[in-house]
Amino acid sequence: MNPSGSFGISTMRPCCRLLIGCRGSAFFGFLPPTCQHSLANNLSGFRYKLLQHRQLHSNSPRIFGFKCVANPDQRPFRSPDSNWGQSRVFSRCCNVGQDRGTSFIANVASDVRHHSTSIDSHVNDKSFEKIYIQGGIKVKPLVVERIERGVDEGKGQEQQEHVHPVETSEGLKETEISTHKREVTEIEKEAWKLLQNAVVNYCGSPIGTVAANDPADKMPLNYDQVFIRDFVPSALAFLLRGEGEIVRNFLLHTLQLQSWEKTVDCYSPGQGLMPASFKVRTVPLDGSTGTFEEVLDPDFGESAIGRVAPVDSGLWWIILLRAYGKITGDYALQERVDVQTGIKLILNLCLTDGFDMFPSLLVTDGSCMIDRRMGIHGHPLEIQALFYSALRCSREMLTVDDGSKNLVTAINNRLSALSFHIREYYWVDMKKINEIYRYKTEEYSTDAINKFNIYPDQIPSWLVEWIPEQGGYLIGNLQPAHMDFRFFTLGNLWSIVSSLGTPKQNEGILNLIEDKWDDLVGQMPLKICYPSLDYEEWRIITGGDPKNTPWSYHNGGSWPTLLWQFTLACIKMKRPELARKAITLAEERLSMDQWPEYYDTRNGRFIGKQSRLYQTWTIAGYLTSKMLLDNPEMASMLLMDEDYEVLQTCRCALSKTGRKKCSRGAAKAQILV
Ligand code: GLC
């Protein structure tokens, strides 16, 4: 717990106060007059759903306000005032063009979090949903922190010694790393400059990076927004060169967006959902002319093409939170009560029981990096790898107390079951394909060999030729009577990074990538998936999507951003030379081609048909890869080793009645392939 924190006020900058709660003057140093008024009227009635301190301007129908309400039975999160139309909320910040010192925001999410001192979850009755904030207004807020507090305060001495940003004549910071001094290349300098230009400010502080920053693009759609998943490589690039502020701001502001009441038509997705992206908008300040304020406008999928659910956002947020702590040494951030509650809300959403039979996470199509229909609904590998990773990161970060111990047990149980499930059923190599080829079907029993009733005919003809003698990979998806044999790069790489795969499997995946270099790397690293869906398959599975034609975009396109995950995986498996080879290849073209989002054709020769240029995660992925290679010891902070405890739990669970003695050795024998 951060000892300095006790009340709900955060400030971004002295000139731009951001109220993390608006509940009563006892809790806050100050309140805007209108807020004081509404609180005075409503607090006595126990209702405290909301707390918009000032009604927003009604000339923007998308802006939503919140009112203090007085129904103790309702969910203690705010809900939009239904008179105001569709739920669209902004987090407000500060005025632009007037004295910022007098502007405020009521950020209820964080305020509400301050009441959440425990998660009422019992592993056996699985009541994680009871995480809803307890205690109402009578609970004293526990945390107060100034968002502006720099990372340096909490930074470990050890880390400070690694990275020293230095100003160059161009005003750009170059990274001079004590362990590896080398000249920063012209391409890297250009990349840093572009990354810097992509930075988005909110109330005068950096808060993220736009997805793409092409000045010639007249139709940016939502590429001018900060995407959670896209920001991860930017965040790592900044962290690796000693700049933590932007990451800290990003983590805290997205946390505030997390609990927004959001609706898609009349339906509200779960409160732990993180947005896919957000935009900083400048809107007129109510009641005044010529003055404006900045607001955060999140998109939870309600505007996204296809209305896809950003399942991966929360998982990436947790992964980034851990990385931030590891690299900066500022562990106080993850210990904050609001941050702890944020983690729990995400886990709550992921661990809630449904109808599913598997420990893997059940999601709809397009719920991750591939955010269009591509036949990845069900249990796609990418989500499973991120889920596994986020569970491990959370277990490391959660403060264990009476309120969280059941959750931690649940995490451990899920980790064991998930890792067993993926290792056992997703893995394919020559031997396994041959087994599937000879599968018997329609086995009705608990000890069926072909548990998912896979018809051998499903083995695609390309795979028969493609599967190498050595190595293998984790398949894209597994459902009853369905194995998606496509190779999905991010899921496989993140399985290595997080140790979801066994050490032998992880080795096998890199062997396969090396063996199939022409297919998976070709002229531009790396294919998002292999192979593409063609002809009828493309028509039926993508719905005839003209953006996802064969070997384009998500359907077998090449995405240079995947370089950073590849580099991490190579470093972990002690094969940095593979990453170096891929980076060298990318370096030959990225700058010349204006940093495209993706490349098309079977071997990645052409810039993608509809590819954005100056795509930030292409730029950041490249920079992060370079820095990781230069500083493998930093990379190791992002990697996770085999977790024998998880294996042991799994071994115990597998022996069902516990008749067999559980031992670490037995666990290894059982799960390690
Ligand atoms: C595309 C990608 C998605 C990315 C977004 C912004 O929609 O599919 O993964 O987050 O662009 O770059």
Side-chain angles (χ1 to χ4, degrees):
M1 190 72 48
N2 174 13
S4 69
S6 60
F7 284 27
I9 287 183
S10 287
T11 57
M12 288 291 297
R13 285 267 184 265
C15 69
C16 178
R17 286 190 184 273
L18 191 145
L19 231 66
I20 293 218
C22 182
R23 275 182 295 104
S25 54
F27 297 158
F28 303 99
F30 48 82
L31 288 171
T34 46
C35 189
Q36 280 168 329
H37 175 73
S38 61
L39 284 166
N41 286 342
N42 292 291
L43 280 181
S44 57
F46 312 94
R47 286 186 36 144
Y48 102 114
K49 255 176 121 171
L50 137 39
L51 320 164
Q52 166 65 10
H53 62 280
R54 233 188 282 122
Q55 206 166 333
L56 290 170
H57 225 279
S58 52
N59 63 4
S60 173
R62 280 155 50 91
I63 299 177
F64 244 67
F66 296 93
K67 291 178 177 172
C68 293
V69 288
N71 177 357
D73 297 323
Q74 282 178 345
R75 269 165 56 161
F77 276 84
R78 16 184 201 170
S79 70
D81 178 340
S82 54
N83 296 327
W84 293 4
Q86 193 196 349
S87 174
R88 183 74 185 184
V89 297
F90 293 129
S91 164
R92 311 173 74 190
C93 169
C94 59
N95 303 340
V96 178
Q98 75 163 55
D99 176 15
R100 285 176 170 173
T102 60
S103 65
F104 307 91
I105 177 172
N107 275 316
V108 185
S110 293
D111 176 51
V112 169
R113 284 197 183 97
H114 296 155
H115 298 277
S116 177
T117 54
S118 68
I119 166 169
D120 183 6
S121 55
H122 302 283
V123 177
N124 294 332
D125 64 16
K126 304 204 175 149
S127 52
F128 298 118
E129 62 279 13
K130 290 187 185 161
I131 193 173
Y132 285 144
I133 310 311
Q134 310 205 340
I137 56 168
K138 288 181 183 149
V139 181
K140 209 176 164 200
L142 296 175
V143 173
V144 177
E145 188 146 0
R146 299 165 74 87
I147 294 183
E148 69 190 347
R149 204 174 63 88
V151 293
D152 290 350
E153 272 174 62
K155 197 183 230 178
Q157 185 66 22
E158 205 187 311
Q159 266 74 50
Q160 289 189 20
E161 279 163 11
H162 283 300
V163 186
H164 310 285
V166 286
E167 290 283 327
T168 66
S169 49
E170 292 165 285
L172 281 177
K173 284 178 180 165
E174 288 178 8
T175 304
E176 185 192 291
I177 290 128
S178 56
T179 46
H180 286 88
K181 286 211 181 87
R182 69 168 173 83
E183 279 225 2
V184 177
T185 65
E186 287 307 311
I187 297 182
E188 284 168 274
K189 281 185 198 165
E190 182 198 339
W192 273 116
K193 202 168 180 175
L194 292 169
L195 185 60
Q196 209 64 57
N197 290 344
V199 168
V200 173
N201 283 305
Y202 177 55
C203 308
S205 296
I207 192 187
T209 48
V210 283
N213 199 17
D214 179 4
D217 189 356
K218 300 282 172 272
M219 286 260 290
L221 297 177
N222 53 354
Y223 281 84
D224 59 356
Q225 305 203 5
V226 180
F227 278 73
I228 309 300
R229 71 175 76 85
D230 291 42
F231 181 66
V232 176
S234 297
L236 294 177
F238 287 122
L239 287 175
L240 289 172
R241 77 167 190 174
E243 290 174 32
E245 190 204 350
I246 184 170
V247 184
R248 185 184 167 81
N249 290 341
F250 170 87
L251 287 166
L252 289 175
H253 282 295
T254 45
L255 182 67
Q256 290 164 359
L257 298 176
Q258 179 191 32
S259 293
W260 264 199
E261 184 81 22
K262 49 251 166 191
T263 57
V264 177
D265 297 330
C266 301
Y267 181 71
S268 302
Q271 58 179 341
L273 192 71
M274 280 279 180
S277 61
F278 64 85
K279 191 175 166 68
V280 177
R281 294 189 194 279
T282 304
V283 298
L285 190 67
D286 30 306
S288 58
T289 49
T291 50
F292 298 89
E293 64 180 338
E294 287 183 347
V295 292
L296 289 185
D297 180 15
D299 179 5
F300 291 92
E302 73 274 24
S303 303
I305 295 168
R307 302 294 184 263
V308 281
V311 177
D312 64 340
S313 287
L315 306 174
W316 277 122
W317 184 87
I318 290 176
I319 292 166
L320 183 60
L321 180 66
R322 173 184 181 264
Y324 170 85
K326 285 263 180 192
I327 296 176
T328 63
D330 174 14
Y331 291 105
L333 183 78
Q334 55 186 251
E335 287 164 7
R336 285 171 49 142
V337 173
D338 53 351
V339 174
Q340 288 280 312
T341 306
I343 299 172
K344 289 171 188 171
L345 284 173
I346 296 168
L347 296 179
N348 183 42
L349 210 51
C350 295
L351 295 173
T352 302
D353 284 339
F355 288 105
D356 209 8
M357 298 292 288
F358 308 141
S360 39
L361 205 57
L362 178 63
V363 298
T364 49
D365 213 344
S367 57
C368 52
M369 176 186 185
I370 295 179
D371 55 1
R372 289 169 86 90
R373 183 174 158 193
M374 267 291 289
I376 58 164
H377 50 275
H379 305 88
L381 179 67
E382 177 176 332
I383 288 289
Q384 311 318 321
L386 294 176
F387 180 35
Y388 180 80
S389 186
L391 286 174
R392 288 194 64 177
C393 294
S394 304
R395 196 186 44 180
E396 235 178 84
M397 295 187 292
L398 278 174
T399 310
V400 184
D401 53 27
D402 280 353
S404 66
K405 65 177 196 295
N406 288 330
L407 178 62
V408 173
T409 309
I411 291 173
N412 278 325
N413 290 342
R414 191 64 173 259
L415 277 170
S416 305
L418 181 61
S419 94
F420 176 82
H421 185 80
I422 300 290
R423 290 171 176 203
E424 186 73 7
Y425 305 124
Y426 278 58
W427 177 253
V428 290
D429 54 12
M430 182 64 184
K431 183 164 163 272
K432 184 68 182 284
I433 300 286
N434 209 158
E435 259 170 44
I436 299 171
Y437 182 72
R438 293 166 49 80
Y439 264 166
K440 290 190 181 53
T441 59
E442 320 298 334
E443 294 174 281
Y444 180 83
S445 77
T446 47
D447 46 8
I449 307 278
N450 181 6
K451 288 195 174 62
F452 307 101
N453 201 32
I454 306 297
Y455 302 110
D457 252 13
Q458 275 177 41
I459 301 174
S461 49
W462 64 266
L463 185 61
V464 176
E465 306 299 323
W466 200 70
I467 194 81
E469 288 296 328
Q470 305 293 324
Y473 67 99
L474 297 165
I475 57 167
N477 212 328
L478 176 69
Q479 319 249 48
H482 175 66
M483 285 175 105
D484 182 344
F485 287 101
R486 282 174 291 171
F487 175 89
F488 285 86
T489 304
L490 180 48
N492 272 283
L493 293 178
W494 210 257
S495 298
I496 299 177
V497 170
S498 63
S499 280
L500 173 56
T502 68
K504 206 168 153 201
Q505 289 172 343
N506 295 341
E507 196 68 56
I509 294 169
L510 276 198
N511 286 342
L512 177 127
I513 295 178
E514 191 174 21
D515 198 83
K516 301 291 170 189
W517 192 263
D518 291 346
D519 292 330
L520 300 176
V521 178
Q523 301 200 16
M524 178 53 67
L526 284 135
K527 280 260 164 283
I528 196 166
C529 67
Y530 180 91
S532 65
L533 299 168
D534 298 342
Y535 307 107
E536 270 305 274
E537 234 183 1
W538 163 77
R539 203 180 56 76
I540 295 165
I541 296 177
T542 73
D545 185 348
K547 199 164 175 183
N548 274 336
T549 50
W551 304 113
S552 183
Y553 201 48
H554 299 139
N555 188 12
S558 304
W559 291 65
T561 187
L562 293 169
L563 260 184
W564 75 269
Q565 288 103 338
F566 182 55
T567 305
L568 263 184
C570 290
I571 292 173
K572 171 160 179 186
M573 302 314 292
K574 305 206 170 11
R575 294 168 78 175
E577 73 289 346
L578 265 189
R580 212 161 273 131
K581 193 170 146 194
I583 294 170
T584 306
L585 199 62
E587 230 162 13
E588 285 168 18
R589 295 187 55 191
L590 286 183
S591 162
M592 211 167 64
D593 293 346
Q594 300 174 308
W595 308 92
E597 178 187 16
Y598 67 97
Y599 285 78
D600 281 356
T601 75
R602 202 183 173 102
N603 53 13
R605 263 188 96 187
F606 288 176
I607 297 173
K609 228 179 347 192
Q610 295 187 43
S611 170
R612 305 281 148 170
L613 300 179
Y614 300 104
Q615 181 80 18
T616 306
W617 68 356
T618 299
I619 298 163
Y622 163 74
L623 285 172
T624 298
S625 305
K626 295 284 279 194
M627 282 191 286
L628 289 172
L629 268 188
D630 284 344
N631 301 277
E633 74 286 352
M634 298 298 258
S636 66
M637 293 188 198
L638 307 171
L639 299 168
M640 287 179 155
D641 287 330
E642 181 72 294
D643 183 334
Y644 289 107
E645 238 175 80
V646 163
L647 298 188
Q648 194 172 337
T649 316
C650 190
R651 168 74 182 120
C652 297
L654 283 173
S655 63
K656 284 181 188 154
T657 56
R659 265 171 287 149
K660 285 181 211 152
K661 204 169 171 285
C662 295
S663 74
R664 193 160 286 200
K668 275 191 188 181
Q670 181 74 36
I671 319 280
L672 296 186
V673 180

